[in-house]
Amino acid sequence: MTSLSGVRSQRKNSRPLSPGDMDYIEPKTKSNLMGKLLLLASLIILAFIVINKASSFTSPSVFSRREEGVTHVLVTGGAGYIGSHAALRLLKDKYRVTIVDNLSRGNLGAVKVLQRLFPQTGRLQFIYADLGDPAAVEKIFSENAFDAVMHFAAVAYVGESTLYPLKYYHNITSNTLGVLEAMARHKVKKLIYSSTCATYGEPEKMPITEDTPQVPINPYGKAKKMAEDMILDFSKNSDMAVMILRYFNVIGSDPGGRLGEAPRPELREQGRISGACFDAARGFIPGLQVKGTDYKTSDGTCIRDYIDVTDLVDAHVKALEKAQPHKVGIYNVGTGKGRSVKEFVEACKKATGVEIKVDLLPRRPGDYAEVYSDPTKIFRDLNWTARFTNLQDSLQVAWRWQKIHPHGYASY
């Protein structure tokens, strides 16, 4: 094989290089040099990327380690109406918060509001995940150091539950089991569970106390009761601190105007009466539908205990503060006063200043005539009592947010 030096020697001996030879060789040499420089630059960039990746692996997130004096709370369903208000309160109270939500019912816009309010490192993180995915749940718990869980994530419409019962048992009961198992594996010691007065069904006596028999009459209430039963059975041989809050009909919004209720348009028919009232006041729907006017109540419409969301999240924070190892607390969260649907509609008309058209329709499947709480126990044990009990005032606060955000969080 002829060496390169041999070629040069032969070329030198045969004839001197002409200007034409020089023109032919020089661009090729420059091209090789440029190629080598580009390759070198690419290798340098690649090395920087690898180094940065390696440093990110060796420097764990602040959310992955426990810190003295800081309580890290996992808020499942934290992009939803109640969950986002709870996350706001926790962040204001200096808790570290991780929100997990699959956004099937929640709003990314609510999370963005919270991120803008609390941009500091280590305050808030959002994880898009479905609690029905065991691998995702395990990854969340293995990569984060939680001190407590507030478990809000759930589908929560009575009427919808009668149409799609299996969806409710899977989403509420099965997913709660997955969260509970992950908490046990990773030694997370506090659980604040979001339950409902729907577990009581239609009691014979009012008001409802925590000792009232639980006889739910719709899949939503049944699925929540099953989840409660699992938690209670587990807690008998566990040192976990558990608080179960059974709350009533939630209304209102953040008094600061930062968060509100924004159900998905396709779910409005199943949603809360407050949302339907506001939709009617804004002309999004032709009128407010009152389902059931022949109940055995004073005016024929259902009677409910309407609790302001600000009071509700205050109860959750107090429950978190008071939770004790090896103990279970079960509490009703309500005002202790029942209001009829007709009363609610009149308050909504005054709050919005709109003479809302009302359509009277037959009963909705799965509904019950009268439900309101006895909040004595939660006042005695947690020193909690509802403060925002004026129905019209709570609706006015919520209406302000609705007027400023006619399409919910769509603009975020």
Side-chain angles (χ1 to χ4, degrees):
M1 180 175 179
T2 307
S3 68
L4 181 61
S5 60
V7 172
R8 288 176 179 165
S9 176
Q10 290 173 11
R11 187 174 283 172
K12 184 176 180 180
N13 292 335
S14 61
R15 66 179 177 87
L17 290 173
S18 67
D21 291 327
M22 293 292 290
D23 290 341
Y24 176 76
I25 294 170
E26 190 173 358
K28 186 175 180 181
T29 304
K30 288 182 177 178
S31 174
N32 288 341
L33 181 60
M34 286 300 295
K36 290 177 181 178
L37 289 173
L38 286 171
L39 178 61
L40 180 61
S42 299
L43 290 172
I44 292 171
I45 292 170
L46 182 61
F48 274 118
I49 292 172
V50 170
I51 290 168
N52 286 335
K53 289 278 187 183
S55 65
S56 69
F57 287 128
T58 56
S59 302
S61 161
V62 66
F63 293 91
S64 68
R65 60 179 184 269
R66 286 187 168 79
E67 190 174 325
E68 187 71 26
V70 177
T71 302
H72 184 185
V73 182
L74 167 61
V75 180
T76 71
Y81 169 44
I82 300 170
S84 61
H85 282 77
L88 174 61
R89 170 61 188 273
L90 289 168
L91 288 162
K92 286 169 64 178
D93 287 359
K94 309 301 182 185
Y95 288 89
R96 177 172 291 160
V97 174
T98 292
I99 290 174
V100 171
D101 203 300
N102 67 0
L103 302 179
S104 62
R105 298 290 165 96
N107 293 280
L108 185 58
V111 176
K112 290 181 178 178
V113 169
L114 295 171
Q115 288 173 331
R116 283 199 295 271
L117 290 171
F118 302 94
Q120 302 89 350
T121 301
R123 296 305 316 283
L124 169 67
Q125 69 169 337
F126 170 67
I127 300 174
Y128 173 75
D130 192 323
L131 297 180
D133 179 351
V137 173
E138 176 58 25
K139 180 177 172 63
I140 290 164
F141 277 83
S142 63
E143 293 181 356
N144 292 278
F146 301 123
D147 299 295
V149 174
M150 281 191 181
H151 184 31
F152 294 99
V155 285
Y157 296 133
V158 168
E160 184 188 40
S161 77
T162 64
L163 298 173
Y164 308 105
L166 296 184
K167 176 179 183 176
Y168 272 66
Y169 291 119
H170 174 80
N171 182 274
I172 295 172
T173 313
S174 178
N175 287 4
T176 299
L177 175 61
V179 170
L180 193 60
E181 288 174 330
M183 289 181 69
R185 283 196 304 273
H186 294 276
K187 296 179 171 43
V188 182
K189 297 299 185 181
K190 287 187 180 182
L191 171 63
I192 314 301
Y193 182 62
S194 165
S195 193
T196 169
C197 64
T199 64
Y200 294 113
E202 194 164 15
E204 294 179 1
K205 292 194 307 181
M206 287 290 135
I208 294 172
T209 72
E210 289 79 1
D211 294 324
T212 297
Q214 290 178 288
V215 190
I217 63 172
N218 53 60
Y220 171 56
K222 291 175 182 177
K224 281 288 189 180
K225 183 179 183 301
M226 285 183 179
E228 282 192 21
D229 289 343
M230 286 191 310
I231 294 168
L232 293 173
D233 285 342
F234 170 75
S235 66
K236 291 174 184 175
N237 297 302
S238 167
D239 61 351
M240 189 180 291
V242 174
M243 292 289 199
I244 294 173
L245 302 185
R246 297 173 184 156
Y247 39 89
F248 290 67
N249 291 59
V250 188
I251 60 171
S253 66
D254 164 42
R258 293 156 293 192
L259 299 171
E261 182 180 10
R264 295 188 178 280
E266 66 271 18
L267 294 168
R268 277 182 171 142
E269 189 174 339
Q270 302 287 351
R272 295 177 177 85
I273 187 173
S274 56
C277 175
F278 295 143
D279 284 346
R282 290 181 297 180
F284 288 176
I285 56 177
L288 180 63
Q289 296 181 343
V290 174
K291 298 178 180 180
T293 59
D294 59 347
Y295 289 99
K296 292 180 181 179
T297 60
S298 58
D299 61 21
T301 62
C302 294
I303 290 178
R304 297 290 182 266
D305 189 340
Y306 295 98
I307 176 76
D308 192 288
V309 68
T310 302
D311 282 330
L312 180 62
V313 299
D314 183 53
H316 281 77
V317 172
K318 282 186 166 60
L320 177 62
E321 293 170 348
K322 298 282 188 178
Q324 296 295 322
H326 303 281
K327 292 185 178 180
V328 178
I330 299 176
Y331 300 100
N332 290 334
V333 189
T335 66
K337 184 177 181 180
R339 312 285 182 85
S340 75
V341 170
K342 281 187 178 178
E343 285 182 85
F344 186 95
V345 172
E346 290 306 309
C348 192
K349 287 179 180 179
K350 291 176 182 177
T352 61
V354 178
E355 187 57 38
I356 299 165
K357 179 178 176 289
V358 179
D359 297 319
L360 304 178
L361 300 176
R363 298 183 184 188
R364 183 175 62 174
D367 263 345
Y368 23 77
E370 187 176 29
V371 171
Y372 62 95
S373 71
D374 177 350
T376 301
K377 183 182 177 186
I378 192 169
F379 174 71
R380 183 186 68 230
D381 292 359
L382 305 186
N383 194 31
W384 177 92
T385 189
R387 295 178 297 144
F388 302 95
T389 57
N390 185 299
L391 202 56
Q392 185 177 329
D393 288 349
S394 290
L395 291 171
Q396 280 178 331
V397 170
W399 176 238
R400 282 200 297 269
W401 189 88
Q402 296 287 330
K403 285 195 298 182
I404 296 171
H405 305 85
H407 302 290
Y409 292 100
S411 60
Y412 289 92

